[in-house]
Amino acid sequence: MTRILRASLCLVATVALVACSAQDADDDPTDPPVAAESRSPRAEQPMPEVPAELATFYEQSLRWEECGDGFDCTEVTVPLDYAEPDGETITIAVKRRAAGVEEPVGSLLVNPGGPGGSGVQLVESASLLFSSELLDGFDVIGFDPRGVNDSSAVDCVDDAELDRIRAEDYDETAEGLAEFASAAEELAAACAENTGDLLAHVDTVSAARDVDVVRHLLEEPRLDYLGYSYGTHLGAVYAELFPENVGRLVLDGAMDPSLGTGEIVRGQAAGFERALRVYVEDCLAGPGCPLTGDVDTAVGQVQQLLELASHTPLPTGTDRELTAPLMFSGIIMPLYDDAYWMLLTSALDAAINQQDGSQLLLLADLSAEREPDGTYATNSTEANIAINCIDYPVEGDLETWRAEAKELAEISPTFGPALAFGDVTCDAWPHEPTVERAPVTAAGADPIVVIGTTGDPATPYEWSEALAAQLESGVLVTYEGEGHTAYGRAGECITEAVDGYLLDGTVPEDGLVC
């Protein structure tokens, strides 16, 4: 069965991809939020003290230039290695969408997730995702974290080779796993050769320290921040490092910082299996569903399709075939947002009834940000692997991973086999993580709002509960619904809770359910 060359399933949050469904839900608000204790007005807050050894970076001058209608761009110079601030430097790409009023609340930094997602691109979609009130009240600031796209970036292979890697299938035999390990070593060597010293320094702790430099250069005494998916981890790490610099943080679709790769993959395997079953139930109840029978039977038909592709890839009308890993990605992608379920239904209909894999391939390419001309809009796939491998210590060995593979197949008969052996990739990585996975508390920070979606397949709801409990000032908001993350797609209740906090400092009631 399918093995995918990857670090884990921590895919880029499809915030930009699901922009078409933003702000269209129709929830009813529940209990109103409660006012927080007011803190000093922004103008009265002193700027935090600058670390003396990093003064060169915190005191640099930004040169903003127009970069499209309504946007300004700049670059921020930061140390490659914060332990050696006098050494090599790298750049962080920053893009600003100016507020709609002359005197905004301040600057709101945003991150779409990943790891490997482009905040620069997220800002370009802000009008489709964020409320008009939020856009009026803040300069929205997108940045590409170190290693990502327009910043000093991870670079491993060319586009054609990335196509091949994404499509490659490995079985669970000794020979198949040996081929998998060899491919992982080749990829790691290519990343090391083409990325250089940066590859050892794309960790989230360094990225969070970059964020603090950006905050200071924007002349913000405290950080206001909206992070989705992996962006919640980046925000939580920032809060742990700089609790006194925390302003209004909203972490949507939370990662649990204490979890290792095994726990994450098990959680996501269960989450996507559940999401598939919910989708299948909806599909069977509606018109044009290519699946038949009850939910168990219909899910089995999806499993049979994946098994078929593992030995007989589907044609797509191009020179590319739909292999099992690409089919896996094509099925997973629409499960991030129930607004995309109709696309999955159409794609499955073409694959099952016409043996046409073109629509599933299109969905897989959309998730990888591959353009129709064969180029990739970002380096999200490569950055995702590089950041995960430097953030998460490898756990166990081949025998451990074989046992985990059996457990994953029980947790998720559909997706579990494809999620197994993820540590093989990071085991070949040329650099080891320097941090351990641990809970965060951010003691002394202002209230941090954590949003969890009960049907979230990529960041299961329990992770949001865990993060909110770990944070000394955590406030949990629950969205009862399907899909990954909530703000921008979950209706008025969530919008009012988030906007009220970011714009006015009104903290939602802890335990608010939307």
Side-chain angles (χ1 to χ4, degrees):
M1 186 56 182
T2 307
R3 299 288 169 272
I4 300 175
L5 194 61
R6 56 169 176 78
S8 76
L9 190 61
C10 297
L11 302 175
V12 176
T14 50
V15 174
L17 299 179
V18 301
C20 61
S21 64
Q23 303 295 348
D24 63 357
D26 190 25
D27 294 321
D28 292 324
T30 57
D31 296 331
V34 296
E37 293 184 9
S38 61
R39 63 188 188 191
S40 300
R42 298 300 171 95
E44 298 177 12
Q45 293 174 6
M47 291 292 288
E49 186 175 347
V50 171
E53 70 278 10
L54 298 174
T56 299
F57 303 101
Y58 276 84
E59 296 172 1
Q60 65 188 286
S61 298
L62 295 184
R63 297 181 58 183
W64 291 96
E65 298 180 355
E66 291 186 9
C67 54
D69 187 19
F71 298 102
D72 299 299
C73 293
T74 191
E75 288 187 339
V76 173
T77 301
V78 295
L80 171 69
D81 183 356
Y82 277 90
E84 298 181 5
D86 295 329
E88 188 178 346
T89 62
I90 59 174
T91 58
I92 304 300
V94 180
K95 191 165 191 172
R96 176 175 64 192
R97 185 190 193 278
V101 298
E102 291 186 3
E103 296 184 5
V105 175
S107 298
L108 177 68
L109 273 69
V110 296
N111 181 275
S118 169
V120 167
Q121 288 192 346
L122 177 59
V123 167
E124 296 166 359
S125 301
S127 63
L128 300 174
L129 291 162
F130 304 155
S131 71
S132 58
E133 291 79 8
L134 195 70
L135 295 174
D136 281 343
F138 278 101
D139 291 336
V140 181
I141 308 294
F143 62 97
D144 287 354
R146 55 173 58 209
V148 177
N149 211 43
D150 288 340
S151 294
S152 296
V154 172
D155 182 22
C156 299
V157 296
D158 62 26
D159 293 339
E161 178 64 8
L162 187 55
D163 276 352
R164 188 195 66 78
I165 288 173
R166 288 178 52 227
E168 196 67 47
D169 199 358
Y170 303 94
D171 61 38
E172 201 174 322
T173 64
E175 182 180 359
L177 291 176
E179 292 175 354
F180 186 22
S182 177
E185 291 171 358
E186 291 177 5
L187 177 62
C191 293
E193 179 179 357
N194 295 320
T195 304
D197 293 340
L198 173 64
L199 196 65
H201 300 284
V202 294
D203 57 285
T204 298
V205 169
S206 295
R209 300 191 70 174
D210 297 341
V211 169
D212 198 58
V213 175
V214 173
R215 173 203 56 76
H216 184 88
L217 295 174
L218 294 171
E219 300 181 1
E220 297 290 350
R222 301 195 189 191
L223 175 72
D224 294 334
Y225 175 85
L226 172 59
Y228 295 92
S229 196
Y230 162 81
T232 68
H233 180 55
L234 177 59
V237 170
Y238 179 90
E240 186 80 342
L241 292 173
F242 305 103
E244 297 302 320
N245 298 356
V246 167
R248 299 166 187 169
L249 264 62
V250 176
L251 309 180
D252 186 358
M255 301 287 297
D256 179 350
S258 70
L259 299 183
T261 54
E263 294 165 304
I264 287 175
V265 173
R266 285 192 291 274
Q268 291 182 325
F272 279 106
E273 190 74 25
R274 176 200 166 279
L276 177 65
R277 295 183 67 85
V278 174
Y279 156 74
V280 165
E281 184 176 7
D282 181 82
C283 180
L284 292 171
C289 184
L291 306 171
T292 59
D294 60 15
V295 171
D296 287 340
T297 301
V299 169
Q301 291 162 8
V302 175
Q303 295 166 2
Q304 291 168 9
L305 189 64
L306 281 162
E307 181 61 30
L308 172 66
S310 68
H311 55 76
T312 308
L314 272 64
T316 65
T318 70
D319 59 355
R320 300 167 65 207
E321 294 181 317
L322 184 75
T323 61
L326 291 173
M327 181 180 288
F328 168 87
S329 298
I331 294 172
I332 283 283
M333 184 268 173
L335 297 180
Y336 274 73
D337 190 336
D338 50 3
Y340 273 16
W341 286 0
M342 60 181 179
L343 300 181
L344 181 54
T345 296
S346 177
L348 288 174
D349 180 55
I352 292 171
N353 294 320
Q354 303 171 45
Q355 290 72 55
D356 176 6
S358 60
Q359 293 185 45
L360 283 171
L361 179 62
L362 179 63
L363 292 172
D365 285 348
L366 184 61
S367 71
E369 300 183 271
R370 184 189 189 274
E371 304 287 357
D373 64 2
T375 61
Y376 285 81
T378 73
N379 73 331
S380 60
T381 299
E382 294 162 315
N384 179 275
I385 295 172
I387 296 169
N388 277 331
C389 284
I390 206 69
D391 267 358
Y392 289 88
V394 171
E395 300 174 344
D397 53 22
L398 184 58
E399 291 308 309
T400 304
W401 303 333
R402 286 187 184 278
E404 289 177 348
K406 294 180 180 179
E407 183 180 4
L408 286 171
E410 294 176 357
I411 293 172
S412 174
T414 308
F415 304 119
L419 300 178
F421 298 96
D423 269 332
V424 170
T425 303
C426 292
D427 194 44
W429 213 245
H431 306 288
E432 294 186 2
T434 57
V435 297
E436 295 183 359
R437 309 302 299 180
V440 299
T441 61
D446 275 6
I448 299 174
V449 175
V450 180
I451 305 174
T453 298
T454 55
D456 193 325
T459 53
Y461 177 69
E462 293 78 11
W463 297 356
S464 292
E465 290 182 305
L467 178 59
Q470 291 170 28
L471 292 166
E472 185 179 89
S473 58
V475 175
L476 179 65
V477 173
T478 299
Y479 169 54
E480 293 184 328
E482 300 302 322
H484 183 43
T485 74
Y487 184 74
R489 55 175 293 271
E492 290 183 3
C493 179
I494 290 293
T495 299
E496 291 179 359
V498 172
D499 286 2
Y501 184 47
L502 292 176
L503 290 167
D504 304 321
T506 303
V507 182
E509 179 185 0
D510 188 18
L512 173 68
V513 178
C514 294

